[in-house]
Amino acid sequence: MKCKKCGGKAVINMRQHNMGLCKDDFLQWLPEQTQKHIEKQKMFTFDEKILVAVSGGKDSLALWDMLNILGYQADGLYIALGIDEGISYSSESQRLTEEFASARDLNLHVVNMTSDYGIDLPTLAKETKRGRDKPCSSCGLVKRHEMNRIARDFGYDVLATGHNLDDEAATLFSNTLQWNGDYLIRQHPVLAERDGLARKVKPLFRFYEREMAAYTLLRGIEYIYEECPFAEGSTSTQYKELLNQLEHEHPGAKIHFFTKFLSAKKKGLFAEPTTEIVPELHICPSCGQPTSALKLCTFCRMMEKSSS
Amino acid sequence: MKKTSTIILRDKKYEVKAGSTLRVALRRLEILPESVICVRDGELITEDNILQEGETIKLVSVISGG
């Protein structure tokens, strides 16, 4: 296959764009497209301070790499969850993230659940009702809480995550299967800052997971290849596989599914959210972060239960 | 003797017939090209490449869950 831009040998075929690209053109195209979507969606500007949530996986490291290349002020945040049973998942992903930051002289914040809160994620999940059967739920809660805390405490304007189009399409698929209206209304690549919640953006929302893997490989970025042991066989993985089958038969199915959802929303598919869907926020008396609860926020309630 | 190439995905190794395209080999192995990227000697290749006798193609799974 030939590169659509230069006619050289293509290293990746993006059937949804009817386009193959060689290494050099792909490594130029991806950051250019990222910049285009950052501008189009008004995610952030070069004057703003960005906090990138980095897991040590391909997407977040690729995002941090591209923001750095594009000239943004982007620092990283790694949350050490202590998932080290068997394959040293957390310690290895932390090592890779720290090496990535150090090699590029980038600033990295590290939150360590065990030293900062006295409990690791697997133990926390076991000890609380929320996480007993589904540790990913506790993990998501911890990450959202800590990302917002660091963004607020260190004065970042925006919080960026490495969610790609496959992540977004799988989430949309899940929420549509359940007609989960309150999640559907909030799913967007840009969530505005609100009452103490930092602005959240997903600059990779237009790229397939496959393109992000290709980018990290071509850039020589070492990432954690092993799956989180808790995520093995997860519903989101099953949905991604289903969507890939559809994509195989109908190239572009995934990108159309998600981008046409965004267009439909823009055209008024959903009514304006009521306070029932987007509740008023209060300040948690323990951590000072915004919460829809009238007393302790969900994170602080979970930590309280685990220590009792 | 049958001419073959080797395809590796995670800890699995498959012997496939050389001389056909990678796309055909993936179809026979029931691996979706959408879920992997293909690497030969450290270089990314597209699925229209023809498998050469004795060579090894490493597939990198791209799906991450959670």
Side-chain angles (χ1 to χ4, degrees):
Chain A
M1 180 175 206
K2 286 186 176 176
C3 171
K4 195 169 186 175
K5 289 186 187 276
C6 73
K9 192 171 170 53
V11 295
I12 186 163
N13 179 16
M14 295 177 282
R15 290 171 74 212
Q16 76 278 21
H17 300 308
N18 195 21
M19 178 169 74
L21 290 177
C22 69
K23 179 181 175 180
D24 290 348
D25 283 319
F26 179 70
L27 289 180
Q28 192 179 345
W29 178 81
L30 207 75
E32 274 176 8
Q33 290 294 306
T34 305
Q35 175 60 28
K36 187 180 126 186
H37 297 303
I38 288 170
E39 285 174 19
K40 195 172 176 189
Q41 296 287 338
K42 298 185 172 63
M43 291 187 179
F44 43 76
T45 66
F46 287 100
D47 298 327
E48 291 184 300
K49 274 178 70 186
I50 304 152
L51 181 65
V52 185
V54 193
S55 67
K58 63 182 185 314
D59 304 293
S60 54
L61 287 177
L63 172 62
W64 201 10
D65 184 62
M66 280 200 283
L67 294 182
N68 188 33
I69 288 172
L70 291 167
Y72 287 103
Q73 309 172 56
D75 292 347
L77 164 63
Y78 178 83
I79 303 172
L81 298 160
I83 304 173
D84 282 318
E85 292 163 45
I87 61 159
S88 303
Y89 179 78
S90 288
S91 46
E92 181 61 5
S93 55
Q94 182 170 354
R95 181 187 72 77
L96 292 168
T97 305
E98 286 177 341
E99 278 186 12
F100 176 93
S102 163
R104 291 157 182 79
D105 203 19
L106 297 171
N107 185 29
L108 175 69
H109 300 270
V110 176
V111 170
N112 188 305
M113 281 299 289
T114 309
S115 53
D116 295 351
Y117 289 98
I119 190 165
D120 60 32
L121 193 272
T123 313
L124 182 68
K126 274 182 214 152
E127 289 184 2
T128 54
K129 194 179 168 193
R130 165 184 279 268
R132 210 161 293 148
D133 299 322
K134 37 180 186 174
C136 300
S137 170
S138 305
C139 181
L141 174 59
V142 166
K143 283 180 181 170
R144 286 192 297 276
H145 187 272
E146 290 305 289
M147 289 189 301
N148 198 64
R149 179 175 71 83
I150 298 294
R152 183 196 63 178
D153 289 357
F154 289 87
Y156 288 96
D157 299 294
V158 59
L159 181 62
T161 58
H163 292 92
N164 57 49
L165 189 128
D166 291 63
D167 296 321
E168 293 304 300
T171 302
L172 177 59
F173 188 65
S174 171
N175 289 334
T176 307
L177 278 181
Q178 299 175 60
W179 287 118
N180 207 333
D182 46 350
Y183 286 152
L184 285 168
I185 212 160
R186 279 180 286 187
Q187 189 177 1
H188 198 271
V190 182
L191 291 178
E193 183 184 357
R194 169 178 176 246
D195 305 331
L197 286 175
R199 186 190 333 152
K200 284 185 197 155
V201 298
K202 299 171 182 173
L204 308 182
F205 79 102
R206 296 276 307 210
F207 302 121
Y208 284 5
E209 195 147 32
R210 194 167 177 269
E211 286 145 30
M212 299 321 301
Y215 179 85
T216 47
L217 208 140
L218 291 170
R219 286 279 295 156
I221 297 169
E222 205 185 343
Y223 66 92
I224 183 110
Y225 182 55
E226 285 75 26
E227 193 66 271
C228 171
F230 291 124
E232 278 174 21
S234 66
T235 316
S236 66
T237 304
Q238 291 171 28
Y239 291 160
K240 282 181 178 182
E241 285 166 355
L242 270 174
L243 289 166
N244 272 342
Q245 285 176 27
L246 193 63
E247 180 76 22
H248 185 65
E249 298 300 327
H250 305 280
K254 289 187 294 190
I255 199 164
H256 290 150
F257 180 49
F258 186 61
T259 55
K260 286 183 187 296
F261 159 72
L262 293 180
S263 307
K265 257 176 101 167
K266 208 173 175 181
K267 287 178 189 164
L269 175 69
F270 296 103
E272 283 298 307
T274 61
T275 50
E276 198 180 317
I277 292 172
V278 183
E280 270 184 50
L281 297 177
H282 313 275
I283 296 297
C284 171
S286 174
C287 68
Q289 289 221 54
T291 172
S292 55
L294 290 170
K295 293 179 182 171
L296 288 182
C297 71
T298 323
F299 176 84
C300 290
R301 281 206 310 274
M302 180 171 71
M303 299 309 283
E304 197 175 62
K305 277 178 196 161
S306 74
S307 59
S308 62
Chain B
M1 194 169 158
K2 203 173 161 189
K3 294 175 179 178
T4 61
S5 312
T6 306
I7 291 182
I8 299 175
L9 175 60
R10 294 197 184 270
D11 53 355
K12 285 184 185 160
K13 206 180 242 191
Y14 306 93
E15 292 296 318
V16 294
K17 199 177 125 192
S20 60
T21 63
L22 189 48
R23 185 180 294 115
V24 168
L26 292 179
R27 192 187 306 140
R28 285 186 184 144
L29 296 172
E30 298 184 344
I31 296 169
L32 283 176
E34 283 72 17
S35 65
V36 292
I37 47 175
C38 312
V39 182
R40 178 165 61 196
D41 297 329
E43 302 287 325
L44 251 68
I45 56 167
T46 50
E47 302 86 57
D48 59 335
N49 274 263
I50 295 185
L51 293 168
Q52 306 296 319
E53 184 186 358
E55 74 174 356
T56 298
I57 306 292
K58 191 184 166 202
L59 304 181
V60 179
S61 173
V62 302
I63 295 182
S64 57

